[in-house]
């Protein structure tokens, strides 16, 4: 069972495809005038466990200050349960062919600092604190799913991200970080504590909107 909990946990944060609604240009400190903007981004994570692909869908919502400081809350969950056919279940109504499925969901408070931005490059330092729950169930002799486990966890992490904008509205990004679990059993801590990495693409919906509807507001690219 420990290996299964490990597998569910390691999929939570490794790969990211993130959509953001606004331009990422950053003004100098002299030009900053405490400009606040709404922040929203879809966050679709990708990973693998036991050779099978898994997906975690989510979103981030919050605010941006001077394009530099971004903070808010993110909500995530597996897009579908992960099912295993070869897990031994020590329950009286389980069989040798019992299926075991897991679901997971979590929320996270995040803060992201854009450390340096040039025409196509952006460097970021994201920090987050999150908490969630992993739930498992198995099929009994009648083929019905019965509860198997429910494990809460909470964690915090800090990382470094770099993004390169290929087009005005599209970029690629990659990063590394370190996370620590504050509660949970030994298996969860062993699964979550340590380095993580992610990579993906960024779609700037704000730039797409201006390219179509407000071309006069576009900055020189």
């Amino acid at each position: 069972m420990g290996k299964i909990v490990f597998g569910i946990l390691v999929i939570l944060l490794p790969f990211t495809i993130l959509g953001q609604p606004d331009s990422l240009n950053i003004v100098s400190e002299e030009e900053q005038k405490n400009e606040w903007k709404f922040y929203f981004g879809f966050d679709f994570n990708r990973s693998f466990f036991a050779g099978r692909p898994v997906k975690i869908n989510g979103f981030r919502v919050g605010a941006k200050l001077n394009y530099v400081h971004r903070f808010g809350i993110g909500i995530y969950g597996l897009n579908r349960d992960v099912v295993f056919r070869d897990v031994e279940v020590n329950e009286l109504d389980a069989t040798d062919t019992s299926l075991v499925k897991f679901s997971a969901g979590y929320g996270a408070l995040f803060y992201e600092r854009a450390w340096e931005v040039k025409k196509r490059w952006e460097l970021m330092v994201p920090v987050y604190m999150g908490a969630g729950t992993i739930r498992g169930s198995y099929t009994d002799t009648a083929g019905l799913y019965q509860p198997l486990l429910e494990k809460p966890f909470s964690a915090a992490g800090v990382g470094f991200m770099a993004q390169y904008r290929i087009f005005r509205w599209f970029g690629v990004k990659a990063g590394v970080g370190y996370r620590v679990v504050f509660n949970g059993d030994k298996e969860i801590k062993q699964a979550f504590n340590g380095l993580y990495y992610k990579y993906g693409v960024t779609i700037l919906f704000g730039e797409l909107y201006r390219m179509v509807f407000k071309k006069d507001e576009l900055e020189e690219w």
Side-chain angles (χ1 to χ4, degrees):
M1 186 61 62
K3 292 182 179 179
I4 301 304
V5 173
F6 177 86
I8 298 298
L9 286 171
V10 297
I11 66 178
L12 292 179
L13 285 172
F15 306 101
T16 301
I17 300 177
L18 178 62
Q20 294 176 340
D22 214 333
S23 171
L24 297 178
N25 292 331
I26 291 184
V27 297
S28 65
E29 293 185 2
E30 292 78 10
E31 298 174 313
Q32 291 179 8
K33 298 180 180 180
N34 292 331
E35 181 180 6
W36 291 86
K37 285 194 174 184
F38 176 73
Y39 178 92
F40 178 83
F42 292 107
D43 205 353
F44 305 112
N45 300 325
R46 301 290 186 269
S47 186
F48 294 89
F49 178 68
R52 69 187 72 180
V54 292
K55 301 177 182 179
I56 297 177
N57 296 337
F59 64 90
R60 303 200 303 177
V61 61
K64 296 190 297 184
L65 174 61
N66 297 330
Y67 297 101
V68 176
H69 306 283
R70 304 154 198 172
F71 49 87
I73 186 171
I75 304 296
Y76 303 89
L78 285 171
N79 74 322
R80 60 183 178 181
D81 296 337
V82 181
V83 180
F84 298 88
R85 298 179 179 274
D86 54 355
V87 176
E88 182 180 353
V89 180
N90 296 319
E91 300 290 340
L92 294 178
D93 56 351
T95 68
D96 294 338
T97 60
S98 288
L99 301 179
V100 178
K101 69 177 181 179
F102 291 88
S103 63
Y106 65 99
L109 297 174
F110 72 88
Y111 168 74
E112 188 171 273
R113 174 66 160 88
W115 176 55
E116 182 180 356
V117 171
K118 295 185 179 180
K119 178 61 68 173
R120 294 178 181 268
W121 284 97
E122 178 177 359
L123 306 179
M124 297 161 286
V125 178
V127 180
Y128 73 89
M129 294 188 66
T133 303
I134 295 175
R135 295 180 175 87
S137 58
Y138 68 97
T139 53
D140 60 17
T141 54
L144 302 176
Y145 278 100
Q146 303 296 335
L148 179 62
L149 62 85
E150 183 172 334
K151 292 180 178 290
F153 66 90
S154 62
V158 61
F160 176 81
M161 295 285 296
Q163 175 179 274
Y164 179 76
R165 292 174 64 179
I166 300 174
F167 306 110
R168 179 188 292 272
W169 56 273
F170 179 85
V172 295
K173 65 195 312 180
V176 296
Y178 193 88
R179 61 176 171 259
V180 177
V181 172
F182 295 107
N183 72 340
D185 58 23
K186 182 178 179 181
E187 293 174 344
I188 293 180
K189 290 183 178 180
Q190 289 177 343
F192 245 160
N193 287 347
L195 293 172
Y196 69 87
Y197 66 96
K198 60 173 72 177
Y199 65 89
V201 300
T202 297
I203 300 175
L204 304 175
F205 294 111
E207 290 291 335
L208 288 174
Y209 176 81
R210 278 185 285 273
M211 290 171 66
V212 177
F213 299 104
K214 296 185 177 182
K215 294 182 179 180
D216 57 324
E217 294 185 5
L218 290 174
E219 299 178 2
E220 182 180 355
W221 179 245

